[in-house]
Amino acid sequence: MPRTPAVARYRGRFAPSPSGPLHLGSIVAALGSYLQARVNGGEWLLRIENIDPPRELPGAADAIQRELVRLGLEWDGEVCFQAQRVAAYRAALAQLEAAGLVYACVCSRRDAGLGPYPGTCRGRARAPSAPASLRLRVGPAPVTIQDRLQGGYSQILAQACGDFVVWRADNWPAYHLAVVVDDAWAGVTEIVRGADLLDSSPRQRYLQQCLGLPAPRYCHLPLVLDLDGSKLSKLALAAPVAGNSASMVLAQALRFLGHPPPTDALGAAPSALLAWAISAWSLAQVPLQSRRPEG
Ligand code: GLU
């Protein structure tokens, strides 16, 4: 049963994967989505995306929650753990299968190549005997999202990625399926996250269409880049923020989001800094450009 209330109230969420401790880039995404939710009088949910055991770092889910609490970024309600929601993802998969939209694929990464998946397994007559992933058929029509920061963003999925995996060969749901099912289940009305996921959004919008789910709004924030210009990543062991004072971390994330706190707020406790940020927050002030932090 969806948790969605009859009248949609603003609901935002932060959905980290427990592949490592939070770094400045993840804090920027957490803080941006938190502020959007609070400014809109809404709720802010926390979802731990733990459906990729090989990439999970033991203890990271707890460390992430501790860090959010330390920063005063308190979420509403229970934490959602994706690993406990596999039955819901299976039900969504069954719906796609019943609509004839899914087929088994035994191509290795190498077979599938670097470009869009060429559809090699589309016409397979018999179920494969080896472990297979399941792919969703995509069509030639453009899929467009209106991003509140980045503007209109469109992809023809057949050209951008081809039929994409919704269930992995290791028998876990693929990220896109899980995210779409959970955002709808939780009644999320706006997704605020890093711009690295902008190009995932058309796939997610397409899945929402296939499953008859409501379309949330999107807002993709600029990314924090490393010295060499690449995105900070938990997997690449970006420096965790836990060693710095909570107020320093919040101030740095706020500056990055175009909201430098006034000097007299700088030494304040996280709760005071967040109260200032809620009063000052405006999406119009958030720069579009991904870049290195100012320090
Ligand atoms: N779990 C994803 C990550 O940590 C974010 C998913 C999302 O916000 O949709 O990068």
Side-chain angles (χ1 to χ4, degrees):
M1 274 291 282
R3 292 198 276 186
T4 321
V7 179
R9 176 180 176 197
Y10 186 106
R11 273 202 182 145
R13 50 58 155 193
F14 177 50
S17 308
S19 52
L22 296 178
H23 51 65
L24 186 63
S26 12
I27 302 293
V28 162
L31 182 61
S33 62
Y34 171 90
L35 290 173
Q36 266 294 100
R38 295 297 181 237
V39 162
N40 285 284
E43 290 175 313
W44 187 63
L45 311 177
L46 176 62
R47 181 169 74 228
I48 301 287
E49 302 212 315
N50 58 342
I51 47 166
D52 198 352
R55 290 181 164 198
E56 191 165 337
L57 189 78
D62 284 344
I64 287 171
Q65 291 172 70
R66 276 199 308 274
E67 185 57 22
L68 291 173
V69 170
R70 184 178 82 100
L71 297 176
L73 298 174
E74 305 228 6
W75 56 91
D76 296 298
E78 304 269 297
V79 182
C80 170
F81 289 89
Q82 286 194 321
Q84 293 168 7
R85 302 242 325 125
V86 174
Y89 313 138
R90 276 194 199 286
L93 175 68
Q95 196 182 331
L96 298 172
E97 281 173 326
L101 288 170
V102 170
Y103 63 89
C105 170
V106 292
C107 294
S108 64
R109 258 175 217 273
R110 212 165 114 217
D111 296 335
L114 287 178
Y117 179 65
T120 320
C121 287
R122 245 190 191 214
R124 172 187 300 282
R126 267 191 285 136
S129 48
S133 58
L134 298 175
R135 285 186 187 266
L136 183 68
R137 290 173 201 276
V138 301
V143 181
T144 304
I145 64 141
Q146 291 300 331
D147 189 272
R148 298 196 63 194
L149 272 180
Q150 317 286 338
Y153 183 77
S154 213
Q155 274 181 354
I156 294 175
L157 294 177
Q159 290 167 12
C161 56
D163 299 340
F164 61 92
V165 173
V166 288
W167 205 270
R168 302 191 331 226
D170 63 1
N171 205 20
W172 283 95
Y175 155 67
H176 297 297
L177 182 66
V179 113
V180 155
V181 168
D182 282 343
D183 284 332
W185 175 70
V188 168
T189 55
E190 184 169 86
I191 293 175
V192 181
R193 60 186 178 188
D196 54 323
L197 292 167
L198 180 63
D199 80 338
S200 295
S201 306
R203 268 170 287 181
Q204 295 173 12
R205 171 56 50 84
Y206 178 67
L207 264 169
Q208 286 151 6
Q209 290 164 354
C210 294
L211 291 165
L213 298 174
R217 295 200 297 182
Y218 288 97
C219 177
H220 286 90
L221 300 172
L223 296 180
V224 179
L225 302 182
D226 222 332
L227 286 179
D228 66 357
S230 56
K231 171 197 174 250
L232 292 189
S233 139
K234 298 193 209 88
L235 281 174
L237 303 179
V241 291
N244 294 329
S245 86
S247 301
M248 244 173 85
V249 174
L250 285 174
Q252 200 181 11
L254 283 167
R255 275 196 295 277
F256 188 82
L257 286 168
H259 291 71
T263 344
D264 59 347
L266 279 177
S271 55
L273 208 46
L274 286 174
W276 171 83
I278 292 169
S279 70
W281 181 249
S282 155
L283 267 189
Q285 260 172 258
V286 176
L288 289 185
Q289 230 36 47
S290 293
R291 62 203 193 283
R292 285 165 48 191
E294 293 100 55

